[in-house]
Amino acid sequence: MATLEKIKVEISVVLGGQTMPIHQLLRMGRGAVIELDHSADDDVDILANNLPVAKGQVVLKGDRVTVSITEVLARPASYRRLDDVVKI
């Protein structure tokens, strides 16, 4: 377990996305607002090392933004299990 505690995982939360022409992006300045393809009530995607692992809801706690996990996603069969890894 001590070895596992040293492994770092990058966690990202995706609120939504948007596609726009580059010229529109270049014209944006400070204070510009980009409308996302999700509503405020939609679940957000939670990624671990850029792989989807869960869904959640954004929760405001005082001046902090947190995410409450609502669903843990099933791991695809293509992910290798620990016992599939050959030790060298």
Side-chain angles (χ1 to χ4, degrees), residues 7 9-10 20 28 39 41 48 53 55 63 80 88:
I7 297 173
V9 178
E10 180 181 322
M20 66 178 62
M28 290 186 166
S39 72
D41 295 329
V53 294
K55 300 254 183 205
D63 61 345
R80 294 191 308 182
I88 299 176

Side-chain angles (χ1 to χ4, degrees), residues 6-72:
K6 296 177 184 176
I7 297 173
K8 296 187 184 224
V9 178
E10 180 181 322
I11 302 296
S12 304
V13 177
V14 180
L15 300 174
Q18 181 60 271
T19 302
M20 66 178 62
I22 189 72
H23 68 85
Q24 185 179 354
L25 179 64
L26 293 173
R27 285 195 319 238
M28 290 186 166
R30 184 181 177 109
V33 175
I34 299 173
E35 188 173 323
L36 302 176
D37 58 358
H38 284 78
S39 72
D41 295 329
D42 289 345
D43 279 351
V44 295
D45 296 319
I46 303 169
L47 311 177
N49 291 340
N50 291 322
L51 297 172
V53 294
K55 300 254 183 205
Q57 287 284 317
V58 174
V59 179
L60 299 176
K61 289 190 175 187
D63 61 345
R64 307 285 288 175
V65 177
T66 64
V67 177
S68 174
I69 295 175
T70 58
E71 176 186 0
V72 176

